[in-house]
Amino acid sequence: MDTPTYETAPEPDYTPRPSPIVDTPATPAACAEDYAAAAHIRAELDKQRRP
């Protein structure tokens, strides 16, 4: 009986890549836009938290 041989999986690529989230500075205007854009999410969470 022959022993089976297996190929190892290729190593994943762990090369660091630029992140637009980290590279973009936080500004009051950008934070205000994000807060306004998420109003419907906060409202839905409030509804779900009510007994």
Side-chain angles (χ1 to χ4, degrees):
M1 177 177 203
D2 291 334
T3 304
T5 58
Y6 300 99
E7 301 251 348
T8 58
E11 181 87 17
D13 182 13
Y14 293 116
T15 306
R17 292 176 180 75
S19 169
I21 296 171
V22 174
D23 293 338
T24 305
T27 63
C31 291
E33 287 175 21
D34 288 344
Y35 188 81
H40 68 285
I41 297 170
R42 290 190 306 279
E44 185 63 32
L45 287 173
D46 286 342
K47 275 197 303 189
Q48 292 177 11
R49 290 182 186 153
R50 290 187 197 136

